[in-house]
Amino acid sequence: MTGLSAAAQRSSVVVEIGGLPICLHCDNPVFIRLLMERYAGYIGDSKQTAFDFDIELAAPGTKFGDKDLTVTWNSGRWLMDRGDFHAEFNPTTAHGHITQTVNSYSLDSVLRIVHTLLLARKGGFLVHASSAIRHGRAFIFSGVSGAGKTTIARLAPPDAALLTDEISYVIPEDGGYFAVGTPFYGELARVGENLRAPIECVYLLAKGPENRIEPVVGTEGVRALLRNILFFARDPEFVKLAFEAAVDFAGRVPIRRLTFVPDARAWELIK
Amino acid sequence: MSDKPYVARSNMIAARVLGNETMVMSASDSTLFTLDEVATLIWESADGLTPLEEIVKNKVCTQYDVSPEVALKDAEVLVKQLAGHGLMLLSDRPVAQPSEFPKVNP
């Protein structure tokens, strides 16, 4: 059986990130196949899903309103709108609907938003950061665009498993925090490995003339973390949950500043 | 300021005291503020029932070497700034504060 015929016989695919299986249904088998390729490594078992989304494909070029993203809570549903998609989901029924054109970029954005909203309730979050596992421990490298997230990921030694070069997934578990792999990538254009490990440290990235690690004291770490945590919803309770998740995390996981010369020697400091 | 002597923390915020500082995030636009030690003292005392002048006199001036006049002037600037960002409420009468953050989604 070829990959194409296998995809044509199913109208759904389960994408499981961070242990949360989301089933995506669509009548278009070509699109399902596209998703299976896009989320390879994160395809789960369709019999065990936490959420179901029906995807309706619009004609190419369809616009969905404002270019800027809005995420709002209305009448028991989260509504998500951007120029390239409209989506909504009901957390109580665990069911949602997405309207978009044929592309994985829009769905990628919806999945990031959905995971952000659901993680906040668990005390977790998504953060603009690359992350990797080395010697059984996860390291998170956070920073704004251009700080070096992709660079440090690209420089990772062979014994490091890259979880993502763009969006790190942080979840509280067993009294600590774990980083888990995601298919969300940046410039590296490489899906992260579907692995998880306890977080050892967060490094706030800065490129500089020498490699050095400095402690981050006081509230600076929380402020830096909050600057990079994904905040999609302008919903008061969501903001409060995300804020508390970040503060709790910063109180338990060391945050340091890593200034690095963009070459592989930076990884000699990461232990 | 004398016509609005009562100050209360808004319920549309998330806040946490960390050491001597307080981090306050606006729930409406996610803007983050950090209050220093003295501002934290005023923030924690802003119960909507105690006049600002009394907070300054009983909390600030008892812990810091500052005259009530200077401290009050500084406190008035602070609470006006916080009120301007929606973090604090100013009123000419006691303010009843909601006991908990409003629940808007499950």
Side-chain angles (χ1 to χ4, degrees), chain A residues 121-133:
Chain A
R121 296 219 149 267
K122 299 177 182 174
F125 52 85
L126 269 63
V127 58
H128 288 288
S130 54
S131 47
I133 297 174

Side-chain angles (χ1 to χ4, degrees), chain A residues 73 78 91-92 121 218-219 222-223 226 231 233-240 243-244 247-248, chain B residues 12-16 18 21 23-30 32 34 101-106:
Chain A
W73 176 253
W78 282 109
T92 305
R121 296 219 149 267
T219 56
V222 183
R223 286 201 302 271
L226 283 166
F231 274 95
R234 295 308 185 209
D235 171 82
E237 194 190 358
F238 172 78
V239 171
K240 186 168 189 274
F243 171 84
E244 290 178 346
V247 175
D248 288 341
Chain B
M12 292 295 285
I13 55 97
R16 190 77 71 87
L18 297 169
E21 296 180 324
M23 302 197 71
V24 185
M25 178 171 270
S26 164
S28 57
D29 63 7
S30 310
L32 186 66
T34 304
F101 204 86
K103 294 287 181 191
V104 292
N105 67 56

Side-chain angles (χ1 to χ4, degrees), chain B residues 23-45:
Chain B
M23 302 197 71
V24 185
M25 178 171 270
S26 164
S28 57
D29 63 7
S30 310
T31 310
L32 186 66
F33 301 85
T34 304
L35 308 182
D36 66 15
E37 199 172 332
V38 179
T40 293
L41 205 53
I42 294 169
W43 173 262
E44 290 185 314
S45 305

Side-chain angles (χ1 to χ4, degrees), chain A residues 66-144:
Chain A
D66 281 353
K67 196 174 88 176
D68 292 336
L69 173 69
T70 60
V71 180
T72 52
W73 176 253
N74 190 313
S75 304
R77 297 167 304 161
W78 282 109
L79 305 178
M80 299 162 265
D81 285 286
R82 199 173 66 184
D84 57 322
F85 65 79
H86 166 78
E88 58 184 69
F89 84 99
N90 183 325
T92 305
T93 62
H95 189 268
H97 189 273
I98 303 165
T99 308
Q100 62 162 87
T101 58
V102 177
N103 74 89
S104 61
Y105 172 74
S106 299
L107 181 64
D108 221 58
S109 299
V110 173
L111 289 178
R112 293 181 192 197
I113 298 165
V114 170
H115 277 275
T116 295
L117 297 172
L118 297 174
L119 262 180
R121 296 219 149 267
K122 299 177 182 174
F125 52 85
L126 269 63
V127 58
H128 288 288
S130 54
S131 47
I133 297 174
R134 198 179 191 197
H135 307 311
R137 297 170 301 164
F139 299 90
I140 291 182
F141 306 94
S142 185
V144 295

Side-chain angles (χ1 to χ4, degrees), chain A residues 168-204:
Chain A
S168 289
Y169 198 110
V170 175
I171 189 164
E173 205 171 279
D174 298 335
Y177 288 89
F178 278 65
V180 304
T182 80
F184 307 131
Y185 53 70
E187 290 174 38
L188 209 55
R190 200 172 98 197
V191 171
E193 295 197 41
N194 194 353
L195 299 170
R196 63 170 55 212
I199 299 172
E200 178 75 10
C201 177
V202 174
Y203 290 108
L204 306 177

Side-chain angles (χ1 to χ4, degrees), chain A residues 199-220:
Chain A
I199 299 172
E200 178 75 10
C201 177
V202 174
Y203 290 108
L204 306 177
L205 292 177
K207 290 175 184 170
E210 60 179 4
N211 294 324
R212 66 175 187 274
I213 291 174
E214 301 161 290
V216 174
V217 297
T219 56
E220 187 187 351

